Short mmCIF file of all heavy atoms in Angstrom, two decimals:
data_model
loop_
_atom_site.label_atom_id
_atom_site.label_comp_id
_atom_site.label_asym_id
_atom_site.label_seq_id
_atom_site.Cartn_x
_atom_site.Cartn_y
_atom_site.Cartn_z
N PRO J 34 112.48 65.45 92.47
CA PRO J 34 113.32 64.39 91.87
C PRO J 34 114.56 63.94 92.58
O PRO J 34 114.96 62.82 92.54
CB PRO J 34 113.74 65.00 90.50
CG PRO J 34 112.62 66.00 90.16
CD PRO J 34 112.16 66.54 91.49
N GLU J 35 115.15 64.89 93.29
CA GLU J 35 116.38 64.52 94.05
C GLU J 35 116.02 63.62 95.24
O GLU J 35 116.84 62.79 95.67
CB GLU J 35 117.08 65.76 94.52
CG GLU J 35 117.76 66.50 93.37
CD GLU J 35 118.58 67.67 93.80
OE1 GLU J 35 118.66 67.94 95.03
OE2 GLU J 35 119.22 68.34 93.03
N VAL J 36 114.80 63.70 95.72
CA VAL J 36 114.38 62.74 96.81
C VAL J 36 114.29 61.32 96.20
O VAL J 36 114.78 60.39 96.87
CB VAL J 36 113.06 63.15 97.46
CG1 VAL J 36 112.61 62.16 98.50
CG2 VAL J 36 113.11 64.61 98.06
N VAL J 37 113.70 61.24 95.10
CA VAL J 37 113.66 59.91 94.38
C VAL J 37 115.05 59.40 94.11
O VAL J 37 115.40 58.25 94.29
CB VAL J 37 112.78 59.98 93.17
CG1 VAL J 37 112.98 58.76 92.31
CG2 VAL J 37 111.37 60.22 93.51
N SER J 38 115.89 60.35 93.63
CA SER J 38 117.26 59.99 93.31
C SER J 38 118.06 59.47 94.49
O SER J 38 118.75 58.49 94.37
CB SER J 38 118.03 61.24 92.79
OG SER J 38 119.38 60.94 92.55
N ASP J 39 117.86 60.01 95.67
CA ASP J 39 118.51 59.52 96.93
C ASP J 39 118.13 58.08 97.21
O ASP J 39 118.94 57.24 97.51
CB ASP J 39 118.14 60.43 98.06
CG ASP J 39 118.84 61.77 98.05
OD1 ASP J 39 119.85 61.91 97.20
OD2 ASP J 39 118.40 62.65 98.73
N PHE J 40 116.82 57.80 96.99
CA PHE J 40 116.37 56.43 97.23
C PHE J 40 116.92 55.48 96.25
O PHE J 40 117.33 54.32 96.55
CB PHE J 40 114.82 56.35 97.22
CG PHE J 40 114.21 55.10 97.57
CD1 PHE J 40 113.87 54.77 98.87
CD2 PHE J 40 114.02 54.10 96.58
CE1 PHE J 40 113.29 53.48 99.18
CE2 PHE J 40 113.50 52.87 96.91
CZ PHE J 40 113.14 52.56 98.17
N VAL J 41 116.94 55.87 94.96
CA VAL J 41 117.46 55.05 93.95
C VAL J 41 118.97 54.73 94.20
O VAL J 41 119.45 53.58 93.90
CB VAL J 41 117.36 55.76 92.52
CG1 VAL J 41 118.12 54.97 91.44
CG2 VAL J 41 115.83 55.90 92.15
N ASN J 42 119.72 55.73 94.64
CA ASN J 42 121.13 55.48 94.98
C ASN J 42 121.31 54.38 96.02
O ASN J 42 122.30 53.60 95.98
CB ASN J 42 121.75 56.74 95.46
CG ASN J 42 122.48 57.49 94.38
OD1 ASN J 42 123.26 56.93 93.56
ND2 ASN J 42 122.25 58.80 94.18
N LYS J 43 120.34 54.31 96.94
CA LYS J 43 120.49 53.34 98.06
C LYS J 43 119.99 51.95 97.66
O LYS J 43 120.55 50.93 98.07
CB LYS J 43 119.70 53.82 99.28
CG LYS J 43 120.21 55.12 99.94
CD LYS J 43 119.26 55.62 100.99
CE LYS J 43 119.81 56.92 101.59
NZ LYS J 43 118.83 57.48 102.61
N LYS J 44 118.97 51.91 96.79
CA LYS J 44 118.29 50.61 96.58
C LYS J 44 118.44 50.06 95.17
O LYS J 44 118.29 48.82 94.96
CB LYS J 44 116.82 50.74 96.91
CG LYS J 44 116.45 50.96 98.37
CD LYS J 44 116.67 49.72 99.17
CE LYS J 44 116.14 49.85 100.60
NZ LYS J 44 116.21 48.57 101.33
N ILE J 45 118.75 50.89 94.18
CA ILE J 45 118.68 50.43 92.81
C ILE J 45 119.98 50.52 92.10
O ILE J 45 120.42 49.54 91.54
CB ILE J 45 117.60 51.29 92.04
CG1 ILE J 45 116.22 51.12 92.70
CG2 ILE J 45 117.50 50.81 90.57
CD1 ILE J 45 115.12 51.99 92.11
N GLY J 46 120.63 51.63 92.13
CA GLY J 46 121.98 51.74 91.49
C GLY J 46 122.53 53.19 91.66
O GLY J 46 121.80 54.21 91.76
N ARG J 47 123.87 53.22 91.80
CA ARG J 47 124.56 54.50 92.11
C ARG J 47 124.44 55.38 90.84
O ARG J 47 124.67 54.95 89.72
CB ARG J 47 125.95 54.29 92.45
CG ARG J 47 126.12 53.59 93.83
CD ARG J 47 127.58 53.60 94.34
NE ARG J 47 128.41 52.91 93.40
CZ ARG J 47 129.39 53.54 92.67
NH1 ARG J 47 129.57 54.80 92.87
NH2 ARG J 47 130.17 52.81 91.89
N HIS J 48 124.26 56.72 91.01
CA HIS J 48 124.13 57.61 89.89
C HIS J 48 124.17 59.08 90.45
O HIS J 48 124.08 59.33 91.60
CB HIS J 48 122.89 57.34 89.16
CG HIS J 48 121.66 57.83 89.88
ND1 HIS J 48 121.11 57.13 90.97
CD2 HIS J 48 120.88 58.95 89.81
CE1 HIS J 48 120.07 57.71 91.44
NE2 HIS J 48 119.92 58.83 90.76
N THR J 49 124.27 60.02 89.48
CA THR J 49 124.02 61.36 89.83
C THR J 49 122.91 61.88 88.95
O THR J 49 122.67 61.32 87.86
CB THR J 49 125.23 62.26 89.60
OG1 THR J 49 125.63 62.19 88.19
CG2 THR J 49 126.37 61.87 90.47
N ILE J 50 122.13 62.90 89.33
CA ILE J 50 120.98 63.44 88.60
C ILE J 50 121.17 64.91 88.29
O ILE J 50 121.73 65.68 89.12
CB ILE J 50 119.71 63.21 89.32
CG1 ILE J 50 118.49 63.58 88.48
CG2 ILE J 50 119.67 63.88 90.72
CD1 ILE J 50 117.13 63.24 89.11
N GLU J 51 120.78 65.31 87.05
CA GLU J 51 120.74 66.68 86.67
C GLU J 51 119.42 67.02 86.02
O GLU J 51 119.05 66.44 85.01
CB GLU J 51 121.93 66.93 85.71
CG GLU J 51 122.01 68.33 85.19
CD GLU J 51 123.11 68.54 84.15
OE1 GLU J 51 123.85 67.58 83.87
OE2 GLU J 51 123.18 69.68 83.56
N LEU J 75 109.45 54.23 88.11
CA LEU J 75 109.73 55.65 88.52
C LEU J 75 109.40 56.53 87.35
O LEU J 75 109.42 56.22 86.22
CB LEU J 75 111.20 55.84 88.96
CG LEU J 75 112.28 55.52 87.96
CD1 LEU J 75 112.63 56.71 87.07
CD2 LEU J 75 113.61 55.16 88.74
N TYR J 77 110.34 60.93 86.81
CA TYR J 77 110.91 62.12 87.36
C TYR J 77 110.10 63.36 87.10
O TYR J 77 110.22 64.39 87.75
CB TYR J 77 112.34 62.33 86.91
CG TYR J 77 113.30 61.42 87.54
CD1 TYR J 77 113.86 60.37 86.79
CD2 TYR J 77 113.71 61.55 88.88
CE1 TYR J 77 114.81 59.49 87.34
CE2 TYR J 77 114.58 60.69 89.43
CZ TYR J 77 115.16 59.66 88.69
OH TYR J 77 116.07 58.85 89.28
N VAL J 81 115.49 64.83 82.58
CA VAL J 81 116.62 64.72 83.53
C VAL J 81 117.76 63.95 82.82
O VAL J 81 117.55 63.21 81.86
CB VAL J 81 116.28 63.94 84.85
CG1 VAL J 81 115.27 64.69 85.60
CG2 VAL J 81 115.79 62.56 84.56
N ARG J 82 118.95 64.13 83.28
CA ARG J 82 120.14 63.36 82.87
C ARG J 82 120.71 62.67 84.00
O ARG J 82 121.03 63.16 85.03
CB ARG J 82 121.19 64.35 82.25
CG ARG J 82 122.50 63.66 81.92
CD ARG J 82 123.44 64.46 81.04
NE ARG J 82 122.87 64.51 79.71
CZ ARG J 82 123.40 65.16 78.66
NH1 ARG J 82 124.49 65.84 78.92
NH2 ARG J 82 122.82 65.16 77.48
N ILE J 83 120.74 61.32 83.83
CA ILE J 83 121.24 60.40 84.88
C ILE J 83 122.62 59.90 84.46
O ILE J 83 122.79 59.33 83.33
CB ILE J 83 120.29 59.24 85.09
CG1 ILE J 83 118.90 59.72 85.47
CG2 ILE J 83 120.88 58.30 86.19
CD1 ILE J 83 118.85 60.40 86.81
N LYS J 84 123.67 60.05 85.25
CA LYS J 84 124.99 59.54 84.96
C LYS J 84 125.26 58.47 85.96
O LYS J 84 125.28 58.67 87.14
CB LYS J 84 126.05 60.64 85.12
CG LYS J 84 125.94 61.77 84.12
CD LYS J 84 127.03 62.76 84.24
CE LYS J 84 126.89 63.89 83.17
NZ LYS J 84 127.95 64.94 83.37
N SER J 85 125.44 57.21 85.44
CA SER J 85 125.64 56.06 86.22
C SER J 85 127.11 55.57 86.09
O SER J 85 127.49 55.19 84.95
CB SER J 85 124.67 54.89 85.85
OG SER J 85 124.93 53.76 86.57
N PRO J 86 127.91 55.56 87.11
CA PRO J 86 129.27 55.18 87.01
C PRO J 86 129.45 53.70 86.69
O PRO J 86 130.23 53.34 85.85
CB PRO J 86 129.87 55.54 88.40
CG PRO J 86 128.68 55.54 89.32
CD PRO J 86 127.58 56.02 88.52
N GLU J 87 128.64 52.87 87.29
CA GLU J 87 128.65 51.47 86.93
C GLU J 87 127.62 50.66 87.86
O GLU J 87 127.31 51.18 88.94
CB GLU J 87 130.03 50.81 87.12
CG GLU J 87 130.56 50.78 88.51
CD GLU J 87 131.91 50.14 88.66
OE1 GLU J 87 132.73 50.30 87.67
OE2 GLU J 87 132.21 49.51 89.62
N LEU J 88 127.19 49.54 87.40
CA LEU J 88 126.36 48.66 88.16
C LEU J 88 127.22 47.58 88.70
O LEU J 88 127.93 46.87 87.92
CB LEU J 88 125.22 48.09 87.28
CG LEU J 88 124.32 49.12 86.59
CD1 LEU J 88 123.43 48.35 85.66
CD2 LEU J 88 123.58 49.92 87.58
N HIS J 93 120.56 45.50 85.02
CA HIS J 93 119.34 46.22 85.03
C HIS J 93 118.55 45.93 83.79
O HIS J 93 119.07 46.17 82.66
CB HIS J 93 119.58 47.72 85.13
CG HIS J 93 119.71 48.20 86.51
ND1 HIS J 93 119.78 49.56 86.83
CD2 HIS J 93 119.96 47.56 87.64
CE1 HIS J 93 120.04 49.72 88.16
NE2 HIS J 93 120.11 48.49 88.68
N ILE J 127 127.44 54.76 81.86
CA ILE J 127 126.38 55.14 80.95
C ILE J 127 125.75 56.50 81.37
O ILE J 127 125.88 56.95 82.52
CB ILE J 127 125.18 54.11 80.97
CG1 ILE J 127 124.71 53.81 82.35
CG2 ILE J 127 125.67 52.81 80.29
CD1 ILE J 127 123.48 52.94 82.39
N LEU J 129 122.00 58.45 80.88
CA LEU J 129 120.58 58.25 80.45
C LEU J 129 119.86 59.58 80.43
O LEU J 129 119.85 60.30 81.42
CB LEU J 129 119.85 57.29 81.37
CG LEU J 129 120.50 55.92 81.55
CD1 LEU J 129 121.28 55.91 82.88
CD2 LEU J 129 119.39 54.87 81.61
N TYR J 131 116.25 61.29 80.02
CA TYR J 131 114.88 61.03 80.09
C TYR J 131 114.06 62.18 79.50
O TYR J 131 114.34 63.27 79.74
CB TYR J 131 114.35 60.82 81.54
CG TYR J 131 114.83 59.64 82.30
CD1 TYR J 131 116.05 59.07 81.97
CD2 TYR J 131 114.08 59.01 83.24
CE1 TYR J 131 116.59 57.92 82.70
CE2 TYR J 131 114.57 57.91 83.97
CZ TYR J 131 115.76 57.38 83.75
OH TYR J 131 116.18 56.31 84.38
#
Side-chain angles (χ1 to χ4, degrees):
E35 290 186 357
V36 176
V37 169
S38 175
D39 288 341
F40 185 92
V41 171
N42 264 311
K43 295 174 184 175
K44 292 287 190 177
I45 302 172
R47 294 189 300 115
H48 71 283
T49 60
I50 185 173
E51 179 183 355
L75 61 84
Y77 284 108
V81 297
R82 170 164 290 180
I83 302 295
K84 296 181 179 180
S85 177
E87 64 180 35
L88 306 173
H93 275 190
I127 56 174
L129 303 99
Y131 291 31

